[in-house]
Amino acid sequence: MPIVTLATSSDFPGLDEDDRALPDALRERGIEPRIAVWNEPGVDWCESDMVVLRSVRDYAKSDRYEDFMAWTRSVPRLANHPDVVAWNADKHYLRRLSELGAPMIPTLWLEPDAGLSKHQVHCRFPAFGDFVVKPAISSGGRGTGRYTAIDAGSRSAAINDAMHHLSRDRTVMVQRYLEEVDRRGELSLVYFNGVLSHAVEKAPMLHPSFRSTDEVHEEIVTAREPSEQEWLWGERVRKAIHQHIKERSGRDIQLLFNRVDVVEDGQGGFYLMEVSLIDAGLYLGSAPDALNNFADAIAQRVFW
């Protein structure tokens, strides 16, 4: 019987709630599931026919990031592939995907090597409206905050937030907050082995009083069928992702799972918010057939 190990973190030693039915679904397909914390000593990852990344949301913490990247390169048969993990961990990838036809929200990038002072950061923030400050390396919304440009206290908090990340050698992204997120939320399109499985609509998380924390933010999601326009946009993003992967790796790499988050741009199109290929929440309990689709995708890989 083939063995599939679901890699998680010490925060979710038994997997997170959304993934907990996955082991039983794998057993039904003739697969022996195991669960292991990625940085737990003594785990023999070579025993597995496949290692699937799941609740590894601590990978982006500054004291674990390099260890996690080294671990991915040491694990045979990791899904998604370590080369994919390496570029998806840093949101600079959004710049290249935008060039390849998947536009992102207009973003100001504050780089740590620029040595910016608090005053220089202040001058780079928008002069009006709400805006978002977040690190380019983050997981589950950690370190993300929404602020108001014309409120002195909010602006001061945003400066402190940005300086906190910069002092830890993390690039900071500054984006104007989109009203479309409040009106319609975000749409997540979830793919398994390159095929669209399901879609969910996510309610806005960054309400006006929202502030940056190191906690993972809880999402409220509703499953729904994507429109033809949304499906076509997802295909456009997926094409850009695979082109980028081929540019970086020199070959095609099949993705076991791929979550694409988009938001309407207010002009009839969409902005790409994020591509999640590492610790993606897949909403297995929120959409019909999602769990079975994922278990089938893993089985297809194992029995190929």
Side-chain angles (χ1 to χ4, degrees):
M1 179 180 290
I3 298 170
V4 169
T5 299
L6 306 173
T8 184
S9 66
S10 57
D11 295 330
F12 303 95
L15 302 176
D16 72 8
E17 184 177 354
D18 196 52
D19 288 330
R20 284 177 191 153
L22 183 57
D24 285 342
L26 293 177
R27 288 189 190 96
E28 291 172 359
R29 288 157 176 80
I31 295 170
E32 179 184 340
R34 297 182 182 178
I35 302 170
V37 174
W38 70 266
N39 56 351
E40 182 179 343
V43 177
D44 186 355
W45 301 98
C46 295
E47 290 182 344
S48 301
D49 295 275
M50 178 184 290
V51 176
V52 179
L53 292 171
R54 291 314 310 129
S55 312
V56 292
R57 295 177 194 155
D58 60 346
Y59 81 87
K61 292 182 178 180
S62 57
D63 61 343
R64 298 183 186 178
Y65 182 75
E66 294 300 331
D67 288 342
F68 178 78
M69 290 301 162
W71 171 79
T72 64
R73 293 189 291 271
S74 72
V75 176
R77 300 174 292 281
L78 182 70
N80 286 315
H81 193 280
D83 289 350
V84 170
V85 171
W87 73 258
N88 188 235
D90 188 326
K91 291 182 177 59
H92 281 90
Y93 71 80
L94 288 167
R95 300 170 86 166
R96 181 57 183 148
L97 294 184
S98 185
E99 294 170 354
L100 293 172
M104 65 180 295
I105 297 172
T107 300
L108 175 67
W109 301 82
L110 307 180
E111 301 293 349
D113 58 7
L116 298 173
S117 66
K118 282 191 173 183
H119 178 71
Q120 289 171 320
V121 169
H122 164 78
C123 292
R124 284 163 171 77
F125 284 164
F128 61 90
D130 283 9
F131 62 97
V132 174
V133 172
K134 59 185 175 183
I137 297 176
S138 67
S139 171
R142 285 190 180 98
T144 299
R146 175 180 173 181
Y147 304 97
T148 301
I150 60 174
D151 181 278
S154 183
R155 197 176 184 92
S156 177
I159 293 170
N160 290 335
D161 184 15
M163 296 303 294
H164 170 81
H165 297 308
L166 291 171
S167 69
R168 285 157 177 75
D169 204 33
R170 296 287 176 90
T171 298
V172 172
M173 303 167 66
V174 181
Q175 299 174 328
R176 187 172 298 284
Y177 187 79
L178 298 180
E179 294 182 1
E180 283 74 16
V181 176
D182 282 339
R183 288 198 291 264
R184 298 181 178 272
E186 297 178 36
L187 178 70
S188 289
L189 301 161
V190 180
Y191 301 82
F192 298 139
N193 287 338
V195 178
L196 180 65
S197 167
H198 57 282
V200 301
E201 192 169 271
K202 299 191 289 188
M205 291 193 301
L206 301 184
H207 53 78
S209 61
F210 191 94
R211 293 295 176 265
S212 171
T213 73
D214 287 330
E215 300 299 319
V216 175
H217 303 149
E218 183 178 357
E219 295 179 324
I220 300 174
V221 304
T222 304
R224 71 169 175 84
E225 288 295 320
S227 67
E228 182 178 1
Q229 184 186 23
E230 290 165 342
W231 182 84
L232 289 171
W233 183 262
E235 290 301 303
R236 182 176 176 181
V237 174
R238 200 168 62 84
K239 181 179 178 181
I241 292 169
H242 284 278
Q243 184 174 341
H244 186 42
I245 290 174
K246 192 168 185 178
E247 287 177 351
R248 289 179 58 94
S249 302
R251 60 193 176 96
D252 289 319
I253 297 176
Q254 177 70 278
L255 303 174
L256 173 63
F257 61 88
N258 172 17
R259 196 190 81 209
V260 172
D261 297 341
V262 299
V263 62
E264 293 186 16
D265 63 6
Q267 300 176 6
F270 295 87
Y271 284 128
L272 173 61
M273 299 285 284
E274 186 175 9
V275 174
S276 297
L277 305 173
I278 304 173
D279 62 329
L282 301 175
Y283 313 117
L284 301 181
S286 301
D289 297 324
L291 174 65
N292 285 328
N293 290 346
F294 191 36
D296 286 343
I298 293 171
Q300 287 168 12
R301 291 288 193 95
V302 170
F303 291 113
W304 274 351

